[in-house]
PDB file of all heavy atoms in Angstrom:
ATOM      1  N   ASP J 358      50.318 -49.374 -83.043  1.00 89.00           N
ATOM      2  CA  ASP J 358      50.928 -49.536 -81.718  1.00 89.00           C
ATOM      3  C   ASP J 358      49.899 -49.868 -80.644  1.00 89.00           C
ATOM      4  O   ASP J 358      50.145 -49.663 -79.456  1.00 89.00           O
ATOM      5  CB  ASP J 358      51.685 -48.257 -81.341  1.00 89.00           C
ATOM      6  CG  ASP J 358      52.811 -47.961 -82.309  1.00 89.00           C
ATOM      7  OD1 ASP J 358      53.427 -48.926 -82.802  1.00 89.00           O
ATOM      8  OD2 ASP J 358      53.056 -46.775 -82.585  1.00 89.00           O
ATOM      9  N   PHE J 359      48.776 -50.401 -81.041  1.00 88.00           N
ATOM     10  CA  PHE J 359      47.667 -50.669 -80.121  1.00 88.00           C
ATOM     11  C   PHE J 359      47.925 -51.881 -79.222  1.00 88.00           C
ATOM     12  O   PHE J 359      47.214 -52.100 -78.264  1.00 88.00           O
ATOM     13  CB  PHE J 359      46.386 -50.863 -80.934  1.00 88.00           C
ATOM     14  CG  PHE J 359      45.112 -50.713 -80.171  1.00 88.00           C
ATOM     15  CD1 PHE J 359      44.730 -49.493 -79.647  1.00 88.00           C
ATOM     16  CD2 PHE J 359      44.280 -51.803 -79.974  1.00 88.00           C
ATOM     17  CE1 PHE J 359      43.536 -49.353 -78.944  1.00 88.00           C
ATOM     18  CE2 PHE J 359      43.082 -51.682 -79.282  1.00 88.00           C
ATOM     19  CZ  PHE J 359      42.720 -50.448 -78.765  1.00 88.00           C
ATOM     20  N   GLY J 360      48.923 -52.680 -79.538  1.00 91.00           N
ATOM     21  CA  GLY J 360      49.181 -53.890 -78.758  1.00 91.00           C
ATOM     22  C   GLY J 360      48.387 -55.081 -79.250  1.00 91.00           C
ATOM     23  O   GLY J 360      47.935 -55.919 -78.471  1.00 91.00           O
ATOM     24  N   TRP J 361      48.221 -55.166 -80.550  1.00 95.00           N
ATOM     25  CA  TRP J 361      47.413 -56.210 -81.161  1.00 95.00           C
ATOM     26  C   TRP J 361      47.995 -57.595 -80.915  1.00 95.00           C
ATOM     27  O   TRP J 361      49.192 -57.763 -80.843  1.00 95.00           O
ATOM     28  CB  TRP J 361      47.314 -55.996 -82.672  1.00 95.00           C
ATOM     29  CG  TRP J 361      46.696 -54.692 -83.055  1.00 95.00           C
ATOM     30  CD1 TRP J 361      47.328 -53.638 -83.647  1.00 95.00           C
ATOM     31  CD2 TRP J 361      45.340 -54.302 -82.879  1.00 95.00           C
ATOM     32  NE1 TRP J 361      46.443 -52.615 -83.851  1.00 95.00           N
ATOM     33  CE2 TRP J 361      45.213 -53.005 -83.383  1.00 95.00           C
ATOM     34  CE3 TRP J 361      44.217 -54.926 -82.345  1.00 95.00           C
ATOM     35  CZ2 TRP J 361      44.005 -52.310 -83.373  1.00 95.00           C
ATOM     36  CZ3 TRP J 361      43.021 -54.243 -82.335  1.00 95.00           C
ATOM     37  CH2 TRP J 361      42.920 -52.954 -82.840  1.00 95.00           C
ATOM     38  N   ASP J 362      47.117 -58.577 -80.825  1.00 95.00           N
ATOM     39  CA  ASP J 362      47.505 -59.981 -80.837  1.00 95.00           C
ATOM     40  C   ASP J 362      47.037 -60.513 -82.183  1.00 95.00           C
ATOM     41  O   ASP J 362      45.871 -60.377 -82.545  1.00 95.00           O
ATOM     42  CB  ASP J 362      46.828 -60.748 -79.691  1.00 95.00           C
ATOM     43  CG  ASP J 362      47.260 -62.196 -79.672  1.00 95.00           C
ATOM     44  OD1 ASP J 362      46.770 -62.961 -80.535  1.00 95.00           O
ATOM     45  OD2 ASP J 362      48.072 -62.566 -78.821  1.00 95.00           O
ATOM     46  N   TYR J 363      47.945 -61.126 -82.922  1.00 95.00           N
ATOM     47  CA  TYR J 363      47.624 -61.574 -84.279  1.00 95.00           C
ATOM     48  C   TYR J 363      47.239 -63.052 -84.333  1.00 95.00           C
ATOM     49  O   TYR J 363      46.847 -63.550 -85.375  1.00 95.00           O
ATOM     50  CB  TYR J 363      48.815 -61.315 -85.212  1.00 95.00           C
ATOM     51  CG  TYR J 363      49.062 -59.844 -85.386  1.00 95.00           C
ATOM     52  CD1 TYR J 363      49.880 -59.147 -84.502  1.00 95.00           C
ATOM     53  CD2 TYR J 363      48.455 -59.146 -86.417  1.00 95.00           C
ATOM     54  CE1 TYR J 363      50.083 -57.782 -84.648  1.00 95.00           C
ATOM     55  CE2 TYR J 363      48.656 -57.786 -86.570  1.00 95.00           C
ATOM     56  CZ  TYR J 363      49.459 -57.109 -85.677  1.00 95.00           C
ATOM     57  OH  TYR J 363      49.654 -55.770 -85.819  1.00 95.00           O
ATOM     58  N   GLY J 364      47.309 -63.748 -83.221  1.00 93.00           N
ATOM     59  CA  GLY J 364      47.091 -65.192 -83.217  1.00 93.00           C
ATOM     60  C   GLY J 364      45.653 -65.596 -82.970  1.00 93.00           C
ATOM     61  O   GLY J 364      44.709 -64.825 -83.176  1.00 93.00           O
ATOM     62  N   ILE J 365      45.497 -66.831 -82.489  1.00 92.00           N
ATOM     63  CA  ILE J 365      44.181 -67.366 -82.144  1.00 92.00           C
ATOM     64  C   ILE J 365      43.648 -66.568 -80.963  1.00 92.00           C
ATOM     65  O   ILE J 365      44.360 -66.291 -80.008  1.00 92.00           O
ATOM     66  CB  ILE J 365      44.282 -68.871 -81.816  1.00 92.00           C
ATOM     67  CG1 ILE J 365      44.665 -69.625 -83.091  1.00 92.00           C
ATOM     68  CG2 ILE J 365      42.982 -69.398 -81.226  1.00 92.00           C
ATOM     69  CD1 ILE J 365      44.926 -71.091 -82.896  1.00 92.00           C
ATOM     70  N   GLY J 366      42.396 -66.184 -81.039  1.00 92.00           N
ATOM     71  CA  GLY J 366      41.813 -65.321 -80.014  1.00 92.00           C
ATOM     72  C   GLY J 366      42.155 -63.864 -80.238  1.00 92.00           C
ATOM     73  O   GLY J 366      41.836 -63.008 -79.427  1.00 92.00           O
ATOM     74  N   GLY J 367      42.803 -63.584 -81.370  1.00 94.00           N
ATOM     75  CA  GLY J 367      43.178 -62.218 -81.718  1.00 94.00           C
ATOM     76  C   GLY J 367      42.699 -61.869 -83.106  1.00 94.00           C
ATOM     77  O   GLY J 367      41.638 -62.321 -83.557  1.00 94.00           O
ATOM     78  N   LEU J 368      43.495 -61.100 -83.813  1.00 96.00           N
ATOM     79  CA  LEU J 368      43.092 -60.633 -85.135  1.00 96.00           C
ATOM     80  C   LEU J 368      42.888 -61.760 -86.144  1.00 96.00           C
ATOM     81  O   LEU J 368      42.056 -61.644 -87.040  1.00 96.00           O
ATOM     82  CB  LEU J 368      44.112 -59.627 -85.678  1.00 96.00           C
ATOM     83  CG  LEU J 368      44.145 -58.279 -84.942  1.00 96.00           C
ATOM     84  CD1 LEU J 368      45.315 -57.445 -85.437  1.00 96.00           C
ATOM     85  CD2 LEU J 368      42.834 -57.533 -85.103  1.00 96.00           C
TER      86      LEU J 368
END
Side-chain angles (χ1 to χ4, degrees):
D358 298 325
F359 199 67
W361 300 111
D362 182 284
Y363 294 88
I365 293 175
L368 291 172

